[in-house]
């Protein structure tokens, strides 16, 4: 993950942009409680580590949700959705209630399946299961490759 984020940081800096600020430890702790209370699941540790490095990501059509809805670094008119808000919106669909959605691209929804302790890629239209990933890092790498 570190290598991918360093590459994104370099690309953004070429355009005068920066990464999202890291999510402070106390905000990650608050998010853990909020995810548990509001969504009935635990916040995965590897996703929490990502947030501690950069509080969300918007790059080449790939969005990884932040700890809360916030402006994208360098823009006044664009936001990264917060993970809790993103899941509230998507849980109107029964099949999505079992997942913790962590990101999306034009054709994929990226989520954690707590029953199987795996990340998954779902087709954004049909919500059919397309991919499985053993960790957040492997999911992020695959998402970057798909959106390169």
């Amino acid at each position: 993950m570190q290598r991918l984020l360093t590459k994104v940081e370099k690309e953004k800096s070429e355009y005068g942009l920066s990464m999202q600020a890291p999510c402070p430890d106390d905000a990650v702790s608050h998010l853990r409680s909020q995810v548990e209370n509001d969504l009935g699941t635990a916040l995965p540790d590897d996703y929490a580590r990502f947030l501690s490095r950069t509080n969300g990501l918007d790059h080449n059509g790939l969005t990884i949700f932040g700890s809360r809805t916030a402006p994208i670094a360098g823009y006044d008119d664009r936001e990264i959705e917060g993970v809790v808000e993103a899941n509230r919106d998507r849980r109107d669909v029964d099949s999505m209630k079992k997942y913790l959605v962590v990101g999306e691209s034009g054709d994929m929804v990226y989520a954690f399946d707590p029953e199987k302790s795996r990340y998954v890629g779902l087709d954004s239209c049909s919500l059919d299961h397309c991919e499985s990933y053993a960790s957040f890092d492997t999911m992020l790498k695959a998402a970057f490759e798909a959106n390169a």
Side-chain angles (χ1 to χ4, degrees):
M1 173 177 57
Q2 184 61 39
R3 187 178 328 143
L4 289 172
L5 294 179
T6 299
K7 181 181 175 185
V8 171
E9 188 170 24
K10 182 180 176 188
E11 289 176 21
K12 285 183 173 288
S13 71
E14 291 173 5
Y15 295 97
L17 300 171
S18 61
M19 301 289 284
Q20 297 298 109
C23 187
D25 290 342
D26 61 332
V28 172
S29 295
H30 175 75
L31 180 61
R32 286 184 187 280
S33 298
Q34 189 178 20
V35 167
E36 182 75 35
N37 293 333
D38 292 4
L39 305 174
T41 192
L43 187 73
D45 290 337
D46 47 2
Y47 176 58
R49 277 191 298 279
F50 167 82
L51 294 174
S52 294
R53 170 69 170 84
T54 181
N55 196 358
L57 179 71
D58 181 72
H59 185 70
N60 285 348
L62 172 65
T63 300
I64 304 296
F65 303 127
S67 64
R68 60 180 179 80
T69 299
I72 295 173
Y75 295 95
D76 295 329
D77 60 342
R78 301 179 194 175
E79 292 183 328
I80 291 179
E81 196 169 13
V83 67
V84 173
E85 295 90 344
N87 278 272
R88 284 181 188 145
D89 291 345
R90 287 162 180 81
R91 287 185 173 203
D92 289 342
V93 177
D94 283 341
S95 64
M96 294 304 290
K97 291 179 181 176
K98 70 178 186 174
Y99 298 114
L100 178 68
V101 177
V102 297
E104 62 188 359
S105 65
D107 59 349
M108 293 286 276
V109 173
Y110 298 100
F112 182 71
D113 182 344
E115 291 176 10
K116 296 180 180 172
S117 294
R118 296 185 66 82
Y119 288 86
V120 297
L122 307 170
D123 179 86
S124 63
C125 293
S126 67
L127 300 177
D128 289 339
H129 180 273
C130 297
E131 301 287 339
S132 291
Y133 311 99
S135 69
F136 181 83
D137 291 5
T138 57
M139 181 208 69
L140 189 63
K141 182 176 185 237
F144 268 100
E145 290 171 359
N147 289 284

